[in-house]
Amino acid sequence: REVSDRGEVELRWDELPDNTTLLLIGSTAEPSGDGGEILLVEEAEALGEVVASGLAGTARLVELPAGRWTIVPFAVSGSRAVRGKAMHVDVGPPITSLEVIRTGPDVSVSWIWPKGLKLARIIWHANGAAVSSDVTHHEFQRHGSISFTRREAASIEITGVIQNGLDVITSKPVVAQVPEQPPTLTYNIYGVRRYFGLLPWRGWRRVVITTDLPCTCFRAEIYAHCPGSRQPDIILTVMNRLELIPHQGHEVTVILPRREEMDRPYYITFKACNANGPMRVDSFSSGGREIP
């Protein structure tokens, strides 16, 4: 018995007589018949799937789908085929092109299935525990990926599984890392009530920053931005070492630029970063609006 974890099997045979080639027939169960049996080529090909034909020399790499195969060789001369000794091969190629994408709490996992693989086992390793689930090729094809909704950092291990009766063949596992869910920040902009004796209220705005997860020690900038303009953004305020508790807003008041400072209508926007780099700001869900 030979085992391949690549989908390719190297086969070797004795040197063939002159004017003779090798025909390889693959089947999930060994066809009836004995070595040395003489058949017509058409009869030999009807015993299973033609894996390769017209082979010369004494060795060849043959690609097979995932599964347990019986390979029956035939020495072919003219229209006759002489049957040789069958070989049993287990083929368990690993999945390839594993990709993991996190969007907030949602994790999408996709990969390329090897030919013939019907089942994949996914194991989510996190916080010292492992959660296993099986997914069929049909289930995967419905969405083109598998989704999880989990916040913690983890590693994902995926193994191809081939079931053959009571026997199980597994491919070499492929592992990818999943980062912890980062906080998502949003900001909302409100007007400032008019008070006599203060600066003109029309030039003021209140910006309220919120988060869905705890976040500490980050830097935030609020600035005026003109979409489609070459004019650089104007920083309205900078806040260092901010700490936010989920759903409890941090409020800051900013003074808008004068109209003559901007060459077109602009927006108040917000960005943040910490020691690991830029943080996610959901501008779409934020209440920013154009300033005339």
Side-chain angles (χ1 to χ4, degrees):
R1 183 181 299 278
E2 299 290 337
V3 179
S4 169
D5 62 359
R6 298 174 301 168
E8 290 183 333
V9 179
E10 183 178 8
L11 300 179
R12 296 181 178 274
W13 58 90
D14 295 334
E15 189 172 347
L16 297 170
D18 293 340
N19 301 319
T20 302
T21 58
L22 191 68
L23 168 66
L24 299 177
I25 300 297
S27 177
T28 54
E30 185 169 352
S32 60
D34 300 313
E37 182 180 9
I38 300 176
L39 302 173
L40 294 174
V41 173
E42 292 80 3
E43 294 175 324
E45 292 176 343
L47 294 178
E49 180 180 336
V50 177
V51 174
S53 62
L55 300 181
T58 58
R60 179 67 65 91
L61 277 175
V62 177
E63 184 175 354
L64 290 171
R68 175 162 290 176
W69 293 88
T70 297
I71 306 298
V72 183
F74 287 87
V76 176
S77 179
S79 61
R80 302 289 179 174
V82 180
R83 180 169 176 163
K85 182 180 179 181
M87 173 182 291
H88 302 285
V89 181
D90 287 344
V91 181
I95 63 100
T96 57
S97 301
L98 177 59
E99 183 179 23
V100 177
I101 300 175
R102 177 183 280 285
T103 305
D106 299 322
V107 178
S108 174
V109 186
S110 62
W111 63 88
I112 295 177
W113 288 71
K115 182 180 178 182
L117 183 65
K118 303 297 183 184
L119 186 69
R121 180 158 297 148
I122 307 174
I123 304 177
W124 179 283
H125 296 275
N127 301 326
V131 178
S132 176
S133 60
D134 292 345
V135 57
T136 65
H137 192 196
H138 176 72
E139 292 170 334
F140 180 87
Q141 283 184 311
R142 290 172 59 189
H143 304 286
S145 63
I146 299 299
S147 297
F148 299 87
T149 302
R150 294 177 182 167
R151 292 180 172 180
E152 71 271 19
S155 65
I156 290 182
E157 176 183 309
I158 303 183
T159 305
V161 179
I162 302 101
Q163 294 178 321
N164 189 74
L166 298 178
D167 293 335
V168 176
I169 307 165
T170 58
S171 67
K172 183 178 179 180
V174 179
V175 179
Q177 301 302 315
V178 182
E180 181 181 9
Q181 178 189 347
T184 297
L185 303 171
T186 57
Y187 62 97
N188 285 275
I189 302 171
Y190 304 94
V192 176
R193 291 182 180 179
R194 182 174 183 178
Y195 292 98
F196 294 103
L198 297 181
L199 292 176
W201 70 277
R202 293 182 182 274
W204 292 57
R205 293 293 186 274
R206 290 185 303 120
V207 181
V208 180
I209 306 167
T210 56
T211 179
D212 62 343
L213 294 175
C215 51
T216 61
C217 199
F218 70 96
R219 172 187 172 93
E221 297 179 358
I222 300 175
Y223 55 97
H225 171 70
C226 286
S229 172
R230 295 184 180 180
Q231 180 176 4
D233 296 335
I234 297 179
I235 298 291
L236 303 181
T237 189
V238 175
M239 295 161 284
N240 289 305
R241 305 184 66 83
L242 277 182
E243 296 189 8
L244 292 182
I245 298 173
H247 313 301
Q248 292 187 16
H250 176 85
E251 181 177 318
V252 61
T253 301
V254 297
I255 302 176
L256 301 179
R258 293 189 298 271
R259 290 185 178 181
E260 57 267 24
E261 296 180 45
M262 312 299 287
D263 62 3
R264 64 180 68 189
Y266 62 91
Y267 291 82
I268 292 180
T269 53
F270 166 73
K271 63 182 178 181
C273 65
N274 58 18
N276 297 322
M279 300 176 65
R280 184 170 185 266
V281 177
D282 188 349
S283 297
F284 180 80
S285 297
S286 297
R289 59 176 180 268
E290 186 178 80
I291 307 299

